[in-house]
């Protein structure tokens, strides 16, 4: 023991201690924690273990996935009737499994406080889960057809859209359905504003209907433009714009401010494709487009650069945990 | 904003210029949903090939 205590005075150990100081500090510490050498890779922009992480574990197509409001977890819903909770940082471990749906899970959402998860399923129900215990808090039963989409507002209100041509509004503190809104066709997507006053529904006929939930009467606005089924919708973080994805292979951005005039469809985005599978493909806003006109990734020098392809390479390191395989892919440029 | 696609790519657009910023390969099935991380430049995508990818993109402005 005494010999070892004397060792730091020797040259070898002192040099080793110097190394992390001379190299870029963050990179070497990150590579130490991960056990892999990543010095030659591109500059990192996030705290992910590797630039690209592959999460496997579902036994069917994964139909929906969402980050938690604090960004530390991700929940995914799949055709295999399960919801899985993942850690985003570190080894991306699968920490919890939510069992209870009788059929495919079609959409998942976090509550605003990050304590609960809502899920819509093809078993005609929506469920509310506790993320700490994976226990089912309650079910929302009443739809006669499969529930295509759900959207929470705040921590308690949930809107569900179903193939039975209705949208239902629920409060998780009240047992029964609060409101039923009937549509002429099956409803494929729904979105509610943060304040809980605006409701948007996307239908099989390609029309988006807006409702003012403070009033008892019907549609306040119909947004026409899509030529095919609306497969997904999201309100922008500031609530002023609605993004909708349709099977006519376009995405449209709608101005949904209360007193706007003229054409509500402000932008059309092309590129994403739909196929014969007719899956309900969702769309999302980046979280930074919070105020005014949304500039999520806008930057002047990028306007001249049309595409920034990232090229994932074959897996460089593999690791296993108790539940599922997680493969980390290193991205070299 | 971002969107999945049935041609196995993940698309990310710049809303201001309507240009495609990223067209990310990797999935071998229709991409069903893509979500942005709330605080860091990370996107998560899930697809019909039973897998979920978390990918790092460039830092925003």
């Amino acid at each position: 023991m005494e010999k070892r205590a004397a060792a730091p005075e020797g040259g070898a150990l002192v040099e080793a201690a110097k190394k992390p100081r001379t190299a870029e500090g963050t990179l070497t510490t990150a590579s130490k924690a991960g056990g892999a050498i990543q010095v030659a890779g591109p500059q990192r922009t996030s705290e992910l273990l590797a630039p690209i992480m592959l999460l496997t574990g579902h036994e069917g197509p994964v139909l929906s996935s969402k980050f938690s409001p604090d960004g530390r977890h991700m929940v995914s819903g799949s055709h295999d009737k399960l919801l899985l909770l993942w850690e985003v940082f570190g080894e991306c471990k699968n920490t919890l499994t939510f069992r209870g749906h009788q059929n495919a899970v079609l959409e998942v959402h976090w509550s605003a406080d990050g304590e609960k998860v809502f899920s819509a399923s093809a078993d005609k129900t929506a469920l509310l889960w506790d993320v700490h215990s994976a226990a089912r808090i309650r079910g929302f039963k009443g739809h006669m057809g499969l529930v295509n989409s759900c959207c929470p507002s705040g921590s308690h209100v949930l809107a569900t859209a179903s193939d039975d041509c209705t949208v239902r509004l629920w409060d998780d503190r009240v047992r029964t359905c609060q409101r039923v809104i009937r549509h002429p066709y099956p409803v494929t997507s729904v979105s509610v504003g943060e304040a809980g006053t605006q409701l948007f529904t996307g239908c099989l006929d390609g029309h988006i209907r807006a409702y003012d939930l403070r009033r008892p009467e019907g549609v306040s606005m119909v947004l026409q433009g899509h030529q095919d089924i609306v497969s997904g919708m999201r309100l922008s973080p500031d609530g002023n714009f609605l993004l909708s994805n349709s099977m006519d292979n376009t995405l449209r951005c709608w101005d949904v401010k209360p007193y706007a005039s003229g054409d509500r469809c402000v932008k059309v985005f092309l590129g994403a494709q739909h196929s014969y599978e007719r899956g309900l493909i969702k769309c999302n806003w980046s979280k930074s487009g919070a105020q005014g006109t949304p500039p999520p990734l806008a930057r002047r020098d990028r306007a001249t650069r049309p595409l920034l392809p990232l090229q994932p390479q074959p897996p460089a390191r593999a690791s296993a945990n108790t539940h599922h395989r997680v493969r980390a892919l290193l991205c070299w440029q | 904003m971002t969107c999945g696609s049935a041609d196995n790519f993940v698309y990310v657009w710049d809303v201001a210029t309507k240009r495609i910023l990223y067209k990310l390969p990797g999935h071998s099935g229709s991409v069903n949903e893509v979500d942005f991380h709330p605080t860091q430049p990370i996107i998560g995508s899930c697809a019909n090939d039973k897998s979920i990818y978390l990918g790092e993109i460039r830092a925003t402005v």
Side-chain angles (χ1 to χ4, degrees):
Chain A
M1 294 301 282
E2 285 174 10
K3 274 183 186 173
R4 284 202 175 176
E9 291 168 13
L13 269 179
V14 175
E15 273 190 17
K18 268 184 186 171
K19 259 188 183 172
R21 273 182 235 148
T22 50
E24 307 95 311
T26 50
L27 265 184
T28 45
T29 49
S31 64
K32 264 188 183 175
I37 302 157
Q38 301 178 359
V39 181
Q43 195 184 356
R44 299 294 306 277
T45 57
S46 73
E47 292 167 19
L48 277 184
L49 188 64
I52 299 174
M53 302 291 286
L54 172 60
L55 284 58
T56 53
H58 278 297
E59 287 167 7
V62 191
L63 301 174
S64 181
S65 64
K66 290 276 189 329
F67 287 107
S68 66
D70 66 359
R72 289 189 298 148
H73 292 95
M74 175 177 229
V75 69
S76 60
S78 163
H79 199 269
D80 62 9
K81 309 173 192 174
L82 300 179
L83 285 88
L84 298 185
L85 185 75
W86 308 85
E87 282 176 2
V88 170
F89 301 115
E91 296 261 330
C92 290
K93 283 181 189 148
N94 165 226
T95 51
L96 284 175
T97 305
F98 303 75
R99 291 171 201 278
H101 275 301
Q102 308 294 313
N103 209 332
V105 181
L106 300 180
E107 187 160 353
V108 293
H109 273 283
W110 289 83
S111 65
D113 57 8
E115 299 285 316
K116 294 172 284 186
V117 165
F118 297 93
S119 63
S121 167
D123 63 6
K124 304 179 187 175
T125 66
L127 294 181
L128 175 62
W129 309 85
D130 178 47
V131 288
H132 302 294
S133 62
R136 184 167 35 167
I137 298 174
R138 66 160 291 180
F140 303 95
K141 289 179 184 166
H143 279 298
M144 311 298 284
L146 53 91
V147 185
N148 285 312
S149 176
C150 66
C151 184
S153 174
S155 297
H156 296 290
V157 177
L158 180 75
T160 54
S162 166
D163 266 3
D164 63 4
C165 306
T166 63
V167 169
R168 286 170 190 256
L169 284 167
W170 312 82
D171 188 320
D172 71 350
R173 297 160 292 191
V174 183
R175 191 178 170 83
T176 53
C177 175
Q178 296 296 292
R179 190 162 163 186
V180 181
I181 301 169
R182 298 189 190 284
H183 287 69
Y185 301 100
V187 192
T188 50
S189 58
V190 67
S191 188
V192 194
E194 272 303 304
T197 54
Q198 277 184 308
L199 173 83
F200 298 92
T201 61
C203 238
L204 219 62
D205 58 0
H207 295 177
I208 297 166
R209 293 170 175 81
Y211 296 85
D212 187 342
L213 295 179
R214 292 167 294 190
R215 295 181 190 165
E217 66 260 31
V219 189
S220 64
M221 182 165 61
V222 180
L223 305 172
Q224 297 187 12
H226 281 306
Q227 305 296 315
D228 207 338
I229 302 171
V230 179
S231 66
M233 271 188 326
R234 275 316 273 284
L235 268 172
S236 65
D238 61 1
N240 289 335
F241 295 91
L242 179 78
L243 180 67
S244 63
N245 187 13
S246 165
M247 292 191 192
D248 60 5
N249 296 337
T250 63
L251 288 102
R252 285 171 189 265
C253 179
W254 310 86
D255 184 350
V256 294
K257 290 195 280 280
Y259 299 107
S261 58
D263 191 5
R264 292 275 181 170
C265 179
V266 280
K267 273 167 186 161
V268 180
F269 298 90
L270 302 170
Q273 304 292 314
H274 285 259
S275 70
Y276 65 91
E277 294 168 0
R278 315 279 283 176
L280 293 179
I281 298 175
K282 325 277 192 309
C283 49
N284 269 313
W285 294 89
S286 77
K287 309 294 191 282
S288 59
Q291 283 143 15
T293 49
L297 292 161
R299 207 157 137 179
R300 272 194 179 278
D301 58 345
R302 283 213 196 125
T304 53
R305 212 185 301 160
L307 281 177
L308 296 170
L310 277 182
Q311 287 160 353
Q313 298 294 309
R317 59 180 296 269
S319 64
N321 64 39
T322 51
H323 294 291
H324 299 295
R325 265 180 329 117
V326 175
R327 270 193 292 157
L329 307 183
L330 286 175
C331 178
W332 306 93
Q333 278 189 340
Chain B
M1 53 159 272
T2 184
C3 174
S5 172
D7 58 4
N8 307 353
F9 286 101
V10 171
Y11 289 84
V12 180
W13 284 268
D14 180 351
V15 174
T17 60
K18 290 200 278 180
R19 280 172 187 273
I20 298 174
L21 291 178
Y22 294 91
K23 184 181 176 187
L24 305 170
H27 281 295
S28 50
S30 169
V31 180
N32 290 310
E33 178 157 9
V34 185
D35 193 19
F36 282 97
H37 193 276
T39 54
Q40 297 191 22
I42 302 172
I43 51 175
S45 62
C46 60
N48 274 354
D49 59 3
K50 309 175 188 174
S51 65
I52 303 165
Y53 274 100
L54 298 182
E56 189 176 289
I57 53 178
R58 293 194 191 195
T60 52
V61 183

